[in-house]
């Protein structure tokens, strides 16, 4: 049995456009009853909103198969047991995940944590407030380190860009939850219920998806449909300093390569019988 941790942006869709073969790939997983989880660094939406968005693109996935960096951040804070007062810099997905885990977001006087994700209404005032809390001893937790995000109009600044400003002003480095952090990867693997060696991580970003998968002992497949493309893949690999197990044009190509690898392993096993 193999399990799969699959990226969203740049792997299954780009903005409001599905990537070719994405729906067929999910159907392939479901037909073969292979466990999978869609793991996203995007902290702005809930799993239900992600599943709804995918459905609009013709990709049928239950909300239970989506795991966001907001959920991972809430799980991490719960395990720390360092307090339940949170000053949040982020959007609805992060707020809902934190509140569902019992964290109080209204007491901004003396928070135990500053938890930050993508915030497209970020202001200088929000920067000042976050820095003030960190200077007074709050712990800093960042949902994900992505400095740029794919969108319909190209790349846009991500949570990592905001974190760079907060870190520069406060001098406090955050605990990073999202890919390539082993924190979210370990949580996701635990949800699959399989050993890391039996899990494939599939994504379009060498620096997050592939590096994160390799760090926890998973096999990795890079698809050239998002951040990494046929034109820049060698540059991406050199800058990241990590090599995926497979490099595939798209998800259809991954299925072909995966089936070939399974056939080869079965042939080798039979030769020893």
């Amino acid at each position: 049995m193999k399990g799969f941790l699959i990226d969203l942006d740049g792997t299954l869709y780009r903005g409001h456009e599905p990537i070719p073969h994405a729906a067929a790939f999910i159907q392939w997983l479901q037909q073969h009853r292979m466990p999978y989880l869609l793991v996203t660094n995007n902290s702005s939406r809930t799993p239900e909103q992600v599943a709804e968005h995918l459905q609009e693109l013709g990709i049928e996935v239950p909300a239970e198969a989506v795991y966001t960096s907001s959920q991972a951040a809430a799980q991490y804070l719960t395990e720390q047991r360092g307090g339940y007062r949170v000053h949040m810099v982020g959007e609805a997905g992060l707020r809902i995940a934190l509140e569902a885990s019992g964290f109080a977001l209204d007491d901004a006087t003396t928070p135990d944590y500053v938890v930050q994700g993508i915030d497209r209404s970020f202001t200088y005032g929000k920067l000042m407030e976050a820095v003030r809390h960190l200077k007074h001893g709050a712990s800093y937790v960042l949902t994900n380190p992505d400095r740029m995000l794919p969108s319909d109009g190209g790349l846009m600044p991500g949570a990592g860009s905001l974190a760079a400003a907060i870190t520069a002003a406060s001098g406090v480095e955050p605990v990073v939850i999202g890919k390539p952090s082993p924190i979210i990867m370990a949580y996701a693997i635990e949800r699959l219920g399989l050993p890391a060696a039996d899990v494939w991580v599939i994504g379009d970003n060498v620096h997050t998806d592939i590096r994160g998968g390799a760090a926890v002992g998973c096999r990795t497949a890079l698809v050239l449909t998002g951040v990494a493309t046929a034109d820049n893949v060698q540059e991406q690999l050199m800058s990241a300093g990590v090599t995926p197990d497979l490099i595939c044009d798209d998800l259809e190509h991954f299925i072909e390569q995966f089936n070939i690898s399974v056939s080869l392993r079965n042939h080798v096993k039979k030769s020893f019988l």
Side-chain angles (χ1 to χ4, degrees), residues 121-145:
S121 62
F122 191 68
T123 63
Y124 188 80
K126 290 185 178 183
L127 173 62
M128 288 179 59
E129 195 171 16
V131 169
R132 177 168 59 85
H133 292 317
L134 293 173
K135 289 289 191 181
H136 283 85
S139 299
Y140 186 14
V141 174
L142 175 63
T143 60
N144 64 292

Side-chain angles (χ1 to χ4, degrees), residues 41-133:
N41 273 0
N42 190 330
S43 64
S44 66
R45 293 188 291 188
T46 65
E48 291 75 16
Q49 290 171 325
V50 172
E52 182 179 352
H53 176 58
L54 288 169
Q55 187 174 26
E56 292 171 354
L57 301 179
I59 305 171
E60 297 291 336
V61 171
E64 294 76 19
V66 179
Y67 191 57
T68 72
S69 61
S70 292
Q71 291 174 285
Q75 184 173 345
Y76 173 80
L77 293 185
T78 300
E79 292 180 354
Q80 299 311 299
R81 302 185 183 277
Y84 277 82
R85 297 169 300 181
V86 171
H87 174 76
M88 188 197 82
V89 179
E91 298 183 6
L94 182 56
R95 175 177 294 277
I96 291 170
L98 291 170
E99 289 179 340
S101 295
F103 291 95
L105 307 184
D106 296 328
D107 184 1
T109 305
T110 55
D112 302 298
Y113 300 98
V114 170
V115 182
Q116 182 240 312
I118 184 67
D119 186 343
R120 285 164 286 194
S121 62
F122 191 68
T123 63
Y124 188 80
K126 290 185 178 183
L127 173 62
M128 288 179 59
E129 195 171 16
V131 169
R132 177 168 59 85
H133 292 317

Side-chain angles (χ1 to χ4, degrees), residues 162-187:
L162 309 186
I166 294 173
T167 297
S170 68
V172 178
E173 293 287 342
V175 173
V176 178
I177 302 298
K179 299 176 287 185
S181 170
I183 294 175
I184 193 172
M185 302 305 293
Y187 289 159

